[in-house]
Structure formats: structure tokens, C-alpha cells
Amino acid sequence: MKYVTELECIDCGEIYAPEPERYLCESCDDEGLLEVKLDYERLAVEWSREELSSDPRGNMWRYGPLIPVKPGTPRPRLEVGSTSLYHAPGLAKELGLENLIIKNEGLNPTGSLKDRASAVAVVKAQEAGRHAVACSSTGNAATSLAGNAASLDEDMEAVIFVPERVPGGKLAQLLIYGAVVVSVQDNYEKAYNLSAESIDRWGWYNRNAAINPYLVEGKKTCVLEMAEQLDFEMPDWLVFSVGDGCTIAGAWKACKDLREIGFIDKTPRLLGVQAEGCAPITRSFRTGEPLEVTSEDTIADSIAVGRPRNYKKALMAVKNSGGTMVNVTDEEIMEMMTLLGSRTGIFGEPAGVAGLAGLRREAAEGEISRDDDIAFVVTGNGLKDIDNARRAASEPLEVSPDIEELRQIFEQRGIIKEDE
Amino acid sequence: MKYVTELECIDCGEIYAPEPERYLCESCDDEGLLEVKLDYERLAVEWSREELSSDPRGNMWRYGPLIPVKPGTPRPRLEVGSTSLYHAPGLAKELGLENLIIKNEGLNPTGSLKDRASAVAVVKAQEAGRHAVACSSTGNAATSLAGNAASLDEDMEAVIFVPERVPGGKLAQLLIYGAVVVSVQDNYEKAYNLSAESIDRWGWYNRNAAINPYLVEGKKTCVLEMAEQLDFEMPDWLVFSVGDGCTIAGAWKACKDLREIGFIDKTPRLLGVQAEGCAPITRSFRTGEPLEVTSEDTIADSIAVGRPRNYKKALMAVKNSGGTMVNVTDEEIMEMMTLLGSRTGIFGEPAGVAGLAGLRREAAEGEISRDDDIAFVVTGNGLKDIDNARRAASEPLEVSPDIEELRQIFEQRGIIKEDE
């Protein structure tokens, strides 16, 4: 916390002390989102790229001076971060581009970028003196919270509220991590409300990225890490899928931090991609009108957020970066799952590859130039959503155990050529 | 290939040149397994721990001098290796141990240790001048082959033969990676035979870890990496689950290599763990009798190998290390999935945690001492087998959206205490 100065309301500018349980701005009727402010001047003097490069830690905590947690608070043992960055010339060519790099966040310990936020959450929970941390989610936020809490040496219960119809796979992951999973026999809204009431009543730490200002600071480490992996030469465009808006807000916060402390000169433009079946932020971005709550009709469940609480930070991020937003269909997302998999060996979940579908659109329409340097982040592992992967993929070749039959099928498909 | 001298038959000692498509010993009727021989004397002189530590590559290729591939052959772009090593004091205590470390191989790019073998396979396929590489498998060998082939810049088709009843999830992963998946409308044996006939007829590269001597050399990098992560202080015991025997054989090869070139002084004892429902290697280890083919009755599908082709190397590995073998039940495996998950945040597939169940047995029976240093390898990601995870895990708490009902349930379970 050495370089954290205060929390500032992004609506009214009210200032708060950086207490671990300060979530929202009181002056804005507990609706105003807060942003963590850092002492950039002091950071620029006291920290350097050289010092960073000599840090032996191969995880997100190497960016400690920019993360609002106390140095002495125990960290989860899961090694969050240090995910691979790939050059993808084959895929770039398919999209009519020259230089595409991909960061695979699906390789985080519980399989998504959300580990970065949850790692911060379980540290802040300890700083708040809490022994339980809660959220309502059916997805990556919940599983990452459960996994990171489990990996702490200290006692920390993860309490997860899920609606009745949570998919079996994600439920399994939560239960294996030993979380207290409360299945609310009703819809998501009711599960959320019960979680809010419970957090209030039993004083658990609140891991809700939309209102907890510290979690964006965890998410930003994805882009801090990417910058270091690129020797601080940022790309022209940085592509993210967008759900509640926290991830792309974190991406921009990272760019801002790095520029202010002199680690980078150029910040990238952000391309935010939503699913057509749930695109309230894109709509607001394009029309300039206030956000309207929408339905949630897409296979990309991790970005299906009809009432995104963090849309203001997301809109500011895209606008301030000089970027843009675009929507894609579920068909495009499924097509990109197989294109990404077959050209790079990376298996992303639908929300994780939605950004790639948006990139293809913008490249085809000339919004993004062939010779721009582009970085795209796969936010979650495809193994988390096997059902949609199965829908996206082709069918296997069905044959009898007979090599002549196989030969015929292979020849028809052009897999082999025989002179017989 | 600088330090590779020859291939040697482990049965008759016949020597072969290290050609990429030399799989088995002709003198033993194509049944004799071959072992890659290295020039340890030259390695000891020309390579050092210091040189290794200055290698900038954060993947398995940093152990290049010990891997039998040519330096110029293009590597897959997937970053295989550099998986996390965790100290697990909480879990150790549960097992009555003092020092337990865990290497999580589920964090490899396609989710298992098999990526290390498949990465070598696609390199050797190129050295053989092949543009297709094949295997018959429904599991991690197949998915890792498909992913690694997809990530090559060069054209390399992965042809995978699966039996009719392959699980949908693994099928999805294969198809997303763009493999040619041949679904043989019959059992595994028929699928295997058709693959062997096809490989022979169309001259594809053979990625079958049981007969291809180079693949064990890829697998061994898991233990090379562990040694480096431990500053070359090897543990007293190294614990692996055992299926066809290749992985534990690779582990021992790594220990032997490191000892012969002077990187380590002490080699660990190996604990090999099989599932009670399919334990032909343990039986042979205990009785000293030749291997008998068994049925395959366990949830740990990745180690359910009733006819293990590599059992001789596995037996030699365990014996030469001064180690032992033990079997565990499916119930023990499921129990360990939740214990591992809830104490460490690591989610392993059933075969991946079977070793832990064996460790608990041996620790309880005093075969392994409380103060021994123990390393355990989780070989595959739990997200690959959600159905069994769901069986292993407890049920969520089902409640109406009513905080009074929730309070009662929480109090019954001891999750909260209220003075009301």
C-alpha cells in the first residue's frame, strides 16, 4: 500500500481513505464506483523497469508496487499470472493481419483471468480481518475465488451464491475447492440479492468486481505482464471481450499506470467486444445514451451481463484509449473457437474468444489496419465449457474397423492421395 | 541430437542408430523397447547447472542438451512446461507428513503432462519428413498431440483414432484443435489395430508413447524441471500414478540423466500408484511374475491400461530407485480430489490425484516416514473430467431466497454463529 494515496469516486470526485472494505461512494447513494489512486511521481522515482526485471517472482506479485495490498499480508499459494504470450503468424494471416500476439489467460491456476482479481480479494479479506469472502456468480469469478481461498495457509471460507440452474461443471469445480456453495432455488437476481443481504449481515468480505475497487487492480496485472513480456513496446490495439466491464477497465488502468510512471511511451487503443445477444455497453458507447439493461442471450456466458455495474469505467477506458467497440454473433464466436484452436493450439471458452471475432470484423472493415500490431487476450479456458465447444466443432469421421472404407473416406476428404 | 549416441534395446541390448522412425528392436520380433542413450561424459564437461540457469527459455526446451531432437527443427509454439511447484504444508499435515511439494502438470497448454511427449513427437515427425502424426487414444495423449500439432507453423496433421464411445468432452477438445478424428464404430482394440494398419500404410509418424522411444525423453522434462525448481536438492520420494508406465519411466530417466552428469547427488525413491481396478504392473512388481493383462475397471481413465506396453521400463524404474508400488480404490481417489482441491486450490483429474491416495496409504502404513521430503506430481487437469469430479464432490446447500432459512442451515452446519 506504500504508493496508494486514496480512493476517488469516478462520478463526484469524493475522496476516501483506502480501507479494505470501502466499496462505493456514500455521496452518490452507494452507487458511485471508486478508483484506486497511486502516487505516480514517487513510483517513477522509486521503481524502475530494471528493478522489475530483476524480481525473481514468476507471478502477478512482481508488480507489487502497483497493487493495493500490504506487503506483509499472506498471499494465496496458487501461482497466478505469468501466462504465455504467443506470436500467431498463421492465425494473423487468416485474418488479413501481419502481427498478432495472443495472451492465454486460460492457463491461470483455476483457468481464467479472474484469478488475478480473486488473488487480490483473498488478500484484502485478510487485511479487513475477515475469515470468509463471498460472491454471487456462476462462473469464473466464483471458481477463482474458491480456488484462491483454498490455497491460503490461513483459514478463509469462500461462500458462493449460485442460482438453481448453475451448470454442473462449474458447480463441480466450486465444490472440489471446498467452497460453501449456496444454491438458491430461484433465478440469478434472487441469488444476488440473498448474497448481498448475507454479506451485510455476517460481515463477509465482498468479492464483487463491479463494486470492489481493488479487484480491477488485480485484473490490470494481465496487461502489466503483457507489457513486460513485450519489453514495454505496447501494441497498436489491445482486444478484450467485455461483460461487466471490469476487465477492460483494468486493462486501461494498467496502461495508464505504466505511462504515468514512465515505463511505456505509447498506450494502445482498446477494442471492446460484446456478444450481439447482450451488448448494453456497446449500445451506450455508440449512442452516447445512458446504459439500458438488456436481456442475456448468448453462449458466451462469462460476458452475458445485461446489467453491467462497471460500464462507466469500461466506457471511459475505451474512449480515453481512442478505441472502439463492436458486437459479434454466437456463430462468429463458435467459428473463432475452432479457428483459434486449429491455428494455435489454444482452446478458449466462448467469452474468451469473442474478442477474436470482433478483431476479424474490424480488420475486414478496415477499422484496424493490416500492419497494426495487435494483442488479443483469451480470458478463459475452453475446458470450462465443453458443451459449447462440442457445438462449435465439426463431427468426427465415423468408420467401421476396415481400412478400405477408411481409405475411401480419406480420399474423398483429401486427407490422403494414393496411386492405386 | 549432439549428445545422443544410440538407441539400445532394453531386452537384448541390440544397438540402433537414433533415426526418428526407429521404434522397436527387430531382433526381439519388434517387441523390444528401445532406450535413448546419451553421452554423459561429454555432457558433464560441456553443460552445467550455471549454464542452464542462464537459459532465458521458460519452457521444456531449456533442457535441450538432454532432449533427443535436432536444434534446428521447428518447435510447436505452445509453451510446454514451466508448471508451478507448490509447498503444501496444510495438505502435508492432513497426511501426517512434514514436507510435501506438488507439481501441477495440469497447467500445461492442453492440460496434462502428456504435452511434454507430444511436443517431442511433432518435432520428431518433422525430422522424419512426415506431415502427419497419428495415435489411437481417447485421452491426454491424443489431445496434447492435436494441440501441439496445431501450434506448429509448419503443416502437420494430427490423425486420432478413437473408439465409438469416446467421452464428448475429450472429443470436443480434439475437434477444436482441428485434428482428423476417426471414430471407429467398435471397441478400443479395434480402433488401435486400425490406427496401426493406417500408420503403416500411409507412413504417418507414430505417436505411441509405449513404443516410440523419444516420447519418454519428453516426459522426463517434468522431473528435470522439478529438480531445477528445487535447486537440484531432490526429495526422498517422488510419487506418480502409473498407467502404461511411460511417465514413471521418464521420471527415472530424468533422475539417471541428472545424476550421471553430476547435477544431482541423490536420486529419489519412486512410489508408483495404480488403481485397484487395473493394476497389472503393481501385481508384477509384487509377485515378480510376468505381466498379466487385466480388465480396466476404474474412474481414473488416464491410467486404466490393462495391457501396458511399457511395463518393463516402469518396473525397472521403480526397482532401480529403491521404491515401491501400491494400489488405491476409486473411493480413495475421489476423496483425494476434494482433499487436494480444498487444501491447495489444485483441481486434478482422477488419474492425476491417484498418486496422492497412494502416498496417504504409504504414509499411514509407515512405509514413508513423517520427516521424508516428498514430491507428488498432479498429471492432469480436473476440468478434463467434470463428471467424476461431480461424483467426488459434496452437494451444494439448497435454500429458498430467504435469509432466515439460510441462517438456520448455516448454524446447523457451523458456518456461522449468531447470538440472537
Side-chain angles (χ1 to χ4, degrees):
Chain A
M1 299 289 284
K2 190 171 163 191
Y3 300 106
V4 178
T5 55
E6 60 207 14
L7 304 178
E8 183 185 86
C9 175
I10 65 168
D11 282 336
C12 74
E14 177 92 15
I15 297 295
Y16 295 90
E19 300 298 333
E21 289 185 283
R22 163 56 56 194
Y23 302 123
L24 292 164
C25 175
E26 288 168 4
S27 305
C28 297
D29 290 330
D30 274 345
E31 293 250 317
L33 300 176
L34 303 178
E35 183 172 279
V36 175
K37 308 302 273 185
L38 298 169
D39 187 343
Y40 290 133
E41 280 184 32
R42 219 176 126 201
L43 272 161
V45 172
E46 297 183 7
W47 199 43
S48 66
R49 294 191 292 196
E50 292 66 34
E51 199 175 336
L52 171 60
S53 78
S54 70
D55 190 307
R57 287 171 293 185
N59 57 40
M60 64 182 271
W61 304 112
R62 62 191 282 109
Y63 309 103
L66 297 177
I67 304 176
V69 297
K70 291 183 183 165
T73 320
R75 309 291 194 252
R77 285 191 180 268
L78 287 183
E79 293 279 350
V80 177
S82 203
T83 60
S84 298
L85 193 72
Y86 296 105
H87 288 266
L91 180 60
K93 205 173 161 189
E94 291 269 351
L95 303 177
L97 299 168
E98 285 175 4
N99 194 5
L100 174 63
I101 57 171
I102 303 176
K103 189 159 175 69
N104 186 6
E105 288 288 295
L107 296 178
N108 272 303
T110 80
S112 81
L113 184 149
K114 300 283 174 83
D115 276 335
R116 299 176 184 270
S118 290
V120 168
V122 301
V123 174
K124 296 309 285 182
Q126 295 173 87
E127 292 178 1
R130 304 297 183 183
H131 296 285
V133 52
C135 74
S136 72
S137 155
T138 66
N140 295 328
T143 53
S144 64
L145 182 62
N148 277 278
S151 85
L152 271 182
D153 286 346
E154 293 67 25
D155 274 345
M156 181 63 66
E157 194 99 72
V159 186
I160 313 290
F161 291 79
V162 300
E164 195 171 10
R165 296 184 54 172
V166 58
K170 289 180 173 173
L171 189 58
Q173 203 180 357
L174 289 171
L175 293 165
I176 289 287
Y177 290 142
V180 174
V181 182
V182 179
S183 171
V184 181
Q185 304 300 294
D186 213 308
N187 62 20
Y188 181 77
E189 191 75 8
K190 289 280 170 58
Y192 179 85
N193 291 341
L194 186 63
S195 82
E197 211 178 338
S198 302
I199 288 168
D200 222 39
R201 176 153 178 176
W202 292 303
W204 301 326
Y205 194 71
N206 191 339
R207 189 258 184 257
N208 188 334
I211 66 162
N212 185 320
Y214 300 106
L215 304 190
V216 165
E217 305 294 307
K219 289 188 170 187
K220 79 181 177 188
T221 62
C222 167
V223 173
L224 299 176
E225 195 173 285
M226 177 191 283
E228 190 182 8
Q229 287 169 317
L230 292 173
D231 285 330
F232 300 99
E233 290 290 332
M234 295 303 274
D236 298 306
W237 285 92
L238 188 47
V239 184
F240 276 95
S241 55
V242 177
D244 68 4
C246 296
T247 300
I248 202 162
W252 183 243
K253 184 74 189 321
C255 295
K256 204 169 105 177
D257 286 355
L258 292 172
R259 188 188 57 202
E260 294 298 325
I261 64 174
F263 279 30
I264 62 172
D265 298 320
K266 182 188 82 175
T267 54
R269 299 166 76 181
L270 293 174
L271 172 62
V273 182
Q274 293 212 289
E276 269 191 11
C278 186
I281 300 180
T282 303
R283 194 193 148 278
S284 180
F285 177 83
R286 287 193 184 153
T287 62
E289 288 170 18
L291 188 108
E292 273 180 27
V293 174
T294 69
S295 59
E296 299 173 350
D297 182 20
T298 169
I299 60 163
D301 66 298
S302 305
I303 54 166
V305 187
R307 187 196 293 273
R309 298 263 334 220
N310 224 327
Y311 74 96
K312 282 186 191 169
K313 277 190 187 174
L315 285 174
M316 285 164 62
V318 176
K319 283 178 188 164
N320 289 338
S321 79
T324 188
M325 293 197 64
V326 66
N327 298 335
V328 296
T329 66
D330 282 1
E331 288 65 36
E332 290 175 285
I333 291 172
M334 289 198 283
E335 206 186 318
M336 285 302 108
M337 285 178 73
T338 55
L339 186 68
L340 177 69
S342 62
R343 290 296 180 281
T344 69
I346 296 171
F347 182 20
E349 67 170 338
V353 303
L356 190 61
L359 171 59
R360 185 173 63 168
R361 275 208 181 193
E362 295 297 281
E365 289 168 13
E367 291 292 318
I368 288 179
S369 304
R370 161 178 274 281
D371 57 355
D372 281 342
D373 288 342
I374 295 148
F376 156 62
V377 177
V378 179
T379 47
N381 197 314
L383 286 170
K384 291 192 166 236
D385 186 359
I386 284 297
D387 290 342
N388 276 313
R390 198 67 194 76
R391 284 172 60 196
S394 61
E395 290 298 315
L397 307 173
E398 294 191 355
V399 299
S400 318
D402 177 88
I403 194 144
E404 273 313 308
E405 186 184 324
L406 184 62
R407 184 186 63 75
Q408 284 176 22
I409 292 176
F410 275 1
E411 288 203 336
Q412 281 162 16
R413 306 278 180 131
I415 294 165
I416 57 155
K417 275 180 202 158
E418 275 195 357
D419 300 315
E420 287 192 334
Chain B
M1 299 289 284
K2 191 171 163 192
Y3 300 105
V4 178
T5 54
E6 60 205 16
L7 304 177
E8 183 184 85
C9 176
I10 65 167
D11 282 335
C12 74
E14 177 93 14
I15 297 295
Y16 295 90
E19 301 299 334
E21 290 184 282
R22 165 55 58 193
Y23 302 122
L24 293 163
C25 175
E26 286 168 5
S27 305
C28 295
D29 290 330
D30 275 344
E31 293 250 316
L33 300 178
L34 303 178
E35 183 171 281
V36 176
K37 308 302 272 186
L38 298 169
D39 187 342
Y40 290 133
E41 281 184 31
R42 223 179 122 200
L43 273 161
V45 173
E46 298 183 5
W47 199 43
S48 66
R49 295 192 290 198
E50 291 67 35
E51 200 174 337
L52 171 60
S53 78
S54 69
D55 190 307
R57 285 171 295 185
N59 58 40
M60 63 182 272
W61 304 111
R62 61 191 283 109
Y63 308 103
L66 297 176
I67 305 175
V69 296
K70 292 184 183 163
T73 319
R75 308 291 194 254
R77 285 191 179 269
L78 287 183
E79 293 280 349
V80 178
S82 203
T83 59
S84 298
L85 193 73
Y86 297 103
H87 288 267
L91 180 60
K93 204 172 164 191
E94 291 268 352
L95 303 176
L97 298 168
E98 284 175 5
N99 194 4
L100 174 63
I101 57 171
I102 304 176
K103 189 161 175 65
N104 185 5
E105 288 287 295
L107 296 178
N108 273 304
T110 80
S112 81
L113 184 149
K114 300 284 175 82
D115 275 335
R116 299 176 183 272
S118 290
V120 168
V122 301
V123 174
K124 296 309 283 182
Q126 295 173 85
E127 291 178 2
R130 303 298 183 183
H131 296 284
V133 52
C135 74
S136 72
S137 156
T138 65
N140 295 329
T143 53
S144 64
L145 182 62
N148 278 277
S151 85
L152 271 182
D153 286 346
E154 294 67 23
D155 273 344
M156 182 62 68
E157 193 99 72
V159 187
I160 314 291
F161 291 78
V162 300
E164 196 171 7
R165 295 184 54 172
V166 58
K170 288 178 174 174
L171 190 58
Q173 203 180 357
L174 289 171
L175 293 165
I176 289 286
Y177 291 142
V180 174
V181 182
V182 179
S183 172
V184 181
Q185 304 300 295
D186 214 307
N187 61 21
Y188 181 77
E189 191 75 9
K190 290 281 170 58
Y192 180 85
N193 292 340
L194 187 62
S195 82
E197 213 179 334
S198 303
I199 287 168
D200 222 38
R201 177 154 177 175
W202 292 302
W204 301 325
Y205 195 72
N206 192 339
R207 189 259 184 255
N208 188 332
I211 67 163
N212 184 321
Y214 300 106
L215 305 191
V216 165
E217 305 294 307
K219 289 187 171 188
K220 79 181 176 188
T221 62
C222 166
V223 173
L224 298 177
E225 196 174 282
M226 176 191 284
E228 190 182 8
Q229 287 169 317
L230 292 172
D231 284 330
F232 300 98
E233 289 290 332
M234 296 303 274
D236 299 306
W237 285 93
L238 188 48
V239 184
F240 275 95
S241 55
V242 177
D244 68 4
C246 295
T247 300
I248 202 162
W252 183 245
K253 184 73 189 319
C255 296
K256 203 169 106 178
D257 286 356
L258 292 172
R259 187 188 59 203
E260 294 298 325
I261 64 174
F263 280 30
I264 62 173
D265 299 320
K266 181 188 83 175
T267 54
R269 298 166 77 182
L270 293 174
L271 172 62
V273 182
Q274 293 211 286
E276 269 192 11
C278 185
I281 301 181
T282 304
R283 194 193 148 279
S284 180
F285 177 83
R286 287 193 185 153
T287 61
E289 289 170 18
L291 188 108
E292 272 180 27
V293 175
T294 69
S295 59
E296 300 172 349
D297 183 20
T298 168
I299 60 161
D301 66 297
S302 306
I303 54 167
V305 186
R307 187 197 293 273
R309 297 263 333 223
N310 224 328
Y311 75 96
K312 281 187 190 167
K313 278 190 186 173
L315 285 173
M316 285 165 61
V318 176
K319 283 178 187 163
N320 289 338
S321 78
T324 190
M325 293 198 62
V326 67
N327 298 336
V328 296
T329 66
D330 282 0
E331 288 65 38
E332 289 175 285
I333 292 173
M334 289 197 283
E335 205 186 319
M336 285 303 109
M337 285 178 72
T338 54
L339 186 68
L340 177 68
S342 62
R343 289 296 181 281
T344 68
I346 296 171
F347 182 21
E349 67 170 337
V353 303
L356 190 63
L359 172 60
R360 184 173 64 167
R361 276 209 179 192
E362 295 298 279
E365 289 169 13
E367 290 293 318
I368 288 180
S369 304
R370 161 177 275 282
D371 58 355
D372 281 343
D373 288 341
I374 295 147
F376 157 60
V377 178
V378 179
T379 47
N381 197 315
L383 286 171
K384 291 190 167 238
D385 187 359
I386 284 297
D387 289 342
N388 276 313
R390 196 69 194 75
R391 285 173 60 195
S394 61
E395 289 299 315
L397 308 173
E398 294 190 356
V399 300
S400 318
D402 177 88
I403 195 143
E404 272 313 308
E405 187 184 325
L406 185 61
R407 184 187 63 76
Q408 283 176 24
I409 293 176
F410 275 0
E411 288 203 337
Q412 281 163 16
R413 307 277 180 132
I415 294 166
I416 55 155
K417 276 180 202 159
E418 276 194 359
D419 301 314
E420 287 192 329

